[in-house]
Amino acid sequence: MPRMKDITDALKDVVFCYSKEDKQGFVKKPQCSCYVKGRKDCKASYERERFLYEYEKLTKQGFSRAEIIQKFEDYYKDRESFWFKNNVKL
């Protein structure tokens, strides 16, 4: 069983990154573009928060998950995405 020091040592060089190309998650600090730029809140994290806010609002209005995701896919069709295109699938 790992000791707490081993876990702490393993985590000191990683950060949770929303801007990963293969889904959000923990990566080594140099691999996260937001971290490298010195940002804790980046466009990817803002995009994620907006998605969660809008998703909840549309759910309360009776839209299905598929309908909500389709609305976002239409929105991001010709726009740059920092989080949605890498993390949300039907």
Side-chain angles (χ1 to χ4, degrees):
M1 183 161 181
R3 297 177 311 168
M4 185 57 90
K5 183 180 180 336
D6 295 334
I7 295 169
T8 303
D9 288 347
L11 291 175
K12 71 179 178 184
D13 294 324
V14 298
V15 64
F16 191 86
C17 187
Y18 291 107
S19 61
K20 284 180 55 183
E21 290 184 17
D22 60 341
K23 299 195 181 210
Q24 65 191 20
F26 287 99
V27 296
K28 294 203 177 284
K29 290 176 180 178
Q31 295 173 322
C32 183
S33 61
C34 293
Y35 181 84
V36 169
K37 293 175 186 174
R39 298 182 183 154
K40 291 185 180 181
D41 293 322
C42 63
K43 290 180 182 179
S45 65
Y46 290 129
E47 189 174 303
R48 177 185 170 273
E49 290 301 316
R50 179 179 172 266
F51 173 80
L52 295 174
Y53 172 79
E54 293 294 329
Y55 188 94
E56 182 178 348
K57 187 168 80 172
L58 292 170
T59 299
K60 289 178 180 177
Q61 293 175 14
F63 288 93
S64 71
R65 181 179 189 280
E67 291 171 320
I68 295 169
I69 291 175
Q70 186 60 55
K71 285 180 179 290
F72 274 90
E73 285 179 348
D74 293 344
Y75 177 81
Y76 284 112
K77 182 178 178 184
D78 297 320
R79 289 182 171 89
E80 187 175 20
S81 169
F82 300 94
W83 177 83
F84 178 80
K85 290 180 181 178
N86 295 326
N87 290 284
V88 180
K89 306 287 183 241
L90 277 175

